[in-house]
Amino acid sequence: MHSRSEKFPKLIYILWAPFKAIWIALQLAWVMNCITQTPEYIFIQNPPAIPTLAIARWTSCLRGAKLVIDWHNFGYSILKVKLGQSWIVRIAQRYEQYFGNTAYCHLTVTDRMHKELTNWNVKGKIVTFKDSPPYHFKRLSTKEVHDFFVGFRLQDIVKKETLDANEFLGRQPYSPNETLMTLNGNECVSRQDRPKLIVSSTSWTEDEDFGLLLKAVEIYEEKAKKDKGYPKLLFVITGKGPLKSVYEERISRMKLQKTRVVTVWLESNDYPLLLGSADLGISLHTSSSGMDLPMKVVDMFGCGLPVCAVDFEW
């Protein structure tokens, strides 16, 4: 049963959304029909579906162009997260199916989405293009990992979350010869006493249940109390989003011995280096439809990183 506080934001959204859609529709119609040259193809990415699909279809008919839709998710499924199973969502689904069926060609990012469009009986050809990681996402050598952590100062990040950063990380780290690696002359090796580095990136939204990971951390802590052979685990979580403060507050209340969970915001050039240095990647991405491809997993694969992910068909 929903409380009044939960229903009130939904009511505001329902009342406000039509005006927003009309405003965007007018803007799109103006911009797309101010183009002087007659296009042969019109490419759009879905979502957003409302009003983009309708305006794109109208423009393609007016200009005699072929409409190509790049499907990354479904707009109605995103709406369902906000409104639940309602008549508005059912109308949005029919709208998306109707205008989607008018396209000349469809591009999908997963085989599962390909199957879904086939079930819709869309008229145009469906082609699946699975995303690939950028070229600079790669596995780092042990020496490159060491050099990265000298500048990254993981010790300072851990210290923000706990007073015993040095104790948790092992021997005094982050000297020119000591990070999570040990440098002896020209030889660089991984320290045996270092914590295993586990990385996850998240947008801190409702379609990623971060509580699932925190529950796993609690289970690991219980197991580690009974078996001293369990290694220490350092979880580094990157990203920004609306639920970040909620989970950070929950993390601060956790009593951890064999694990640490730290949140950071990384510059774009540091993110692939962190992935290339880690021992394991975690993806909690499910998406509203469960049919789109989590790019974070693609990036991790590009770095030669094994991934523990929420299961769904690609």
Side-chain angles (χ1 to χ4, degrees):
M1 186 173 181
H2 295 289
S3 66
R4 290 183 179 179
S5 60
E6 291 174 324
K7 291 181 179 179
F8 190 60
K10 289 183 180 181
L11 179 60
I12 293 177
Y13 179 82
I14 292 171
L15 294 175
W16 167 76
F19 294 99
K20 180 182 178 182
I22 292 171
W23 174 243
I24 294 175
L26 293 173
Q27 288 180 308
L28 282 174
W30 173 262
V31 170
M32 295 185 73
N33 287 282
C34 280
I35 301 173
T36 56
Q37 294 181 342
T38 301
E40 185 175 352
Y41 296 93
I42 295 177
F43 284 81
I44 64 168
Q45 178 176 303
N46 189 77
I50 301 173
T52 310
L53 287 178
I55 298 300
R57 176 56 182 166
W58 174 68
T59 305
S60 66
C61 292
L62 190 65
R63 293 298 193 89
K66 297 174 181 177
L67 179 62
V68 179
I69 303 176
D70 183 10
W71 297 85
H72 282 251
N73 202 349
F74 298 113
Y76 79 87
S77 65
I78 296 175
L79 192 63
K80 186 177 179 180
V81 173
K82 297 180 180 178
L83 302 181
Q85 190 65 267
S86 69
W87 62 271
I88 297 176
V89 174
R90 291 192 292 271
I91 291 175
Q93 182 177 3
R94 293 192 186 100
Y95 160 91
E96 202 162 359
Q97 290 173 332
Y98 173 78
F99 284 105
N101 195 36
T102 62
Y104 169 76
C105 182
H106 306 267
L107 308 179
T108 67
V109 291
T110 62
D111 294 331
R112 178 65 185 87
M113 189 171 289
H114 187 128
K115 292 178 183 178
E116 181 67 12
L117 292 181
T118 301
N119 293 336
W120 287 11
N121 295 317
V122 295
K123 296 177 181 178
K125 184 178 181 180
I126 307 172
V127 182
T128 299
F129 285 104
K130 294 185 178 180
D131 291 318
S132 299
Y135 71 92
H136 60 287
F137 281 75
K138 61 180 182 179
R139 189 68 192 169
L140 302 186
S141 67
T142 307
K143 180 62 166 57
E144 289 173 328
V145 172
H146 172 77
D147 293 341
F148 169 61
F149 281 124
V150 168
F152 188 58
R153 299 291 300 175
L154 192 58
Q155 180 190 31
D156 295 337
I157 296 172
V158 176
K159 188 178 294 184
K160 294 178 182 178
E161 308 291 335
T162 176
L163 297 176
D164 61 339
N166 289 339
E167 179 183 346
F168 182 77
L169 292 172
R171 288 176 291 172
Q172 185 68 32
Y174 302 102
S175 69
N177 293 326
E178 291 283 344
T179 59
L180 297 182
M181 310 296 164
T182 297
L183 183 62
N184 294 320
N186 294 326
E187 183 181 6
C188 188
V189 296
S190 177
R191 281 172 35 199
Q192 295 300 313
D193 62 340
R194 70 175 179 86
K196 302 300 182 183
L197 180 60
I198 303 174
V199 177
S200 181
S201 62
T202 177
S203 54
W204 302 100
T205 54
E206 294 177 348
D207 64 356
E208 291 183 271
D209 184 6
F210 196 74
L212 185 65
L213 177 59
L214 297 186
K215 181 62 178 178
V217 170
E218 292 174 345
I219 294 173
Y220 186 87
E221 283 283 343
E222 290 299 317
K223 296 286 186 180
K225 288 179 182 178
K226 301 175 183 178
D227 188 342
K228 301 300 182 182
Y230 276 60
K232 292 180 289 188
L233 303 180
L234 175 59
F235 296 85
V236 178
I237 315 300
T238 73
K240 291 182 179 180
L243 297 180
K244 182 178 181 180
S245 60
V246 175
Y247 282 112
E248 284 183 327
E249 197 277 332
R250 179 175 168 182
I251 292 169
S252 68
R253 298 197 310 267
M254 298 175 70
K255 296 181 179 180
L256 306 175
Q257 295 179 357
K258 297 286 285 189
T259 61
R260 293 293 186 275
V261 182
V262 299
T263 59
V264 297
W265 173 252
L266 295 177
E267 299 296 333
S268 58
N269 58 325
D270 283 335
Y271 179 62
L273 297 178
L274 180 63
L275 292 186
S277 305
D279 298 292
L280 177 69
I282 290 182
S283 171
L284 300 172
H285 177 93
T286 55
S287 92
S288 57
S289 68
M291 301 181 200
D292 63 316
L293 185 68
M295 272 306 299
K296 66 190 70 178
V297 175
V298 176
D299 293 338
M300 291 172 181
F301 283 169
C303 292
L305 190 60
V307 179
C308 180
V310 176
D311 185 35
F312 65 92
E313 187 178 352
W314 283 26

